[in-house]
Amino acid sequence: MKAVANVRSVRRVRWIGSSRDDLRTLPKRVRQKVGFVLYYAQQGQTHEAAKPLRGFGGGGILEVVEDYDRATYRAVYTVRFADAVYVLHVFQKKSKRGIAAPKRDVELIKTRLREAARLHAAQEGSTQ
């Protein structure tokens, strides 16, 4: 009798817009942190550094905030869809007013979330 390995399915990471290129421009330590958090998400887990993004109605949209060399960097992703982790936006926060993401970035995240939903729906349609 063969032993059956307990293989956990790993979600793909799908990069929306320029998010992958934007991540590549960040300092190495920040890229590593974001990569580690995304790896957790691929496994169906939530890393302690990932927090729900305010204003998006729950835990399906998460952000990683990393401070490095007197700058703050953010990566926003969603786990709302079963097939993949969609990275919506990666950026350096430049606003000096509070911790909230600038309106321009919030609008971009909303636009990219709609794009992720469209891609997810197209993927679902092609597998049925």
Side-chain angles (χ1 to χ4, degrees):
M1 182 182 260
K2 283 186 175 180
V4 177
N6 184 7
V7 179
R8 206 187 297 186
S9 66
V10 177
R11 293 180 182 185
R12 288 181 49 186
V13 173
R14 299 196 66 178
W15 304 88
I16 305 298
S18 63
S19 59
R20 188 175 201 170
D21 291 335
D22 296 338
L23 180 65
R24 289 177 174 155
T25 68
L26 303 186
K28 182 177 181 180
R29 189 178 104 191
V30 176
R31 290 192 317 263
Q32 289 173 331
K33 177 67 163 261
V34 170
F36 194 60
V37 171
L38 291 175
Y39 176 74
Y40 264 63
Q42 285 182 278
Q43 305 295 318
Q45 301 174 17
T46 303
H47 190 277
E48 64 185 19
K51 306 293 181 209
L53 183 62
R54 291 181 186 190
F56 282 85
I61 310 294
L62 301 160
E63 74 172 331
V64 181
V65 178
E66 182 70 11
D67 294 321
Y68 178 77
D69 196 26
R70 297 184 309 180
T72 300
Y73 301 91
R74 293 182 175 197
V76 178
Y77 65 96
T78 184
V79 293
R80 283 186 178 174
F81 310 109
D83 67 321
V85 175
Y86 291 84
V87 182
L88 304 173
H89 190 31
V90 178
F91 61 104
Q92 179 179 353
K93 183 179 178 298
K94 295 183 181 180
S95 172
K96 300 298 181 198
R97 288 185 268 147
I99 62 171
K103 183 176 173 126
R104 187 184 107 253
D105 291 305
V106 171
E107 292 304 317
L108 183 58
I109 292 165
K110 288 178 180 178
T111 298
R112 290 183 176 176
L113 180 58
R114 286 190 295 272
E115 175 67 10
R118 188 190 65 73
L119 288 170
H120 173 72
Q123 181 69 27
E124 285 289 304
S126 69
T127 60
Q128 293 180 5

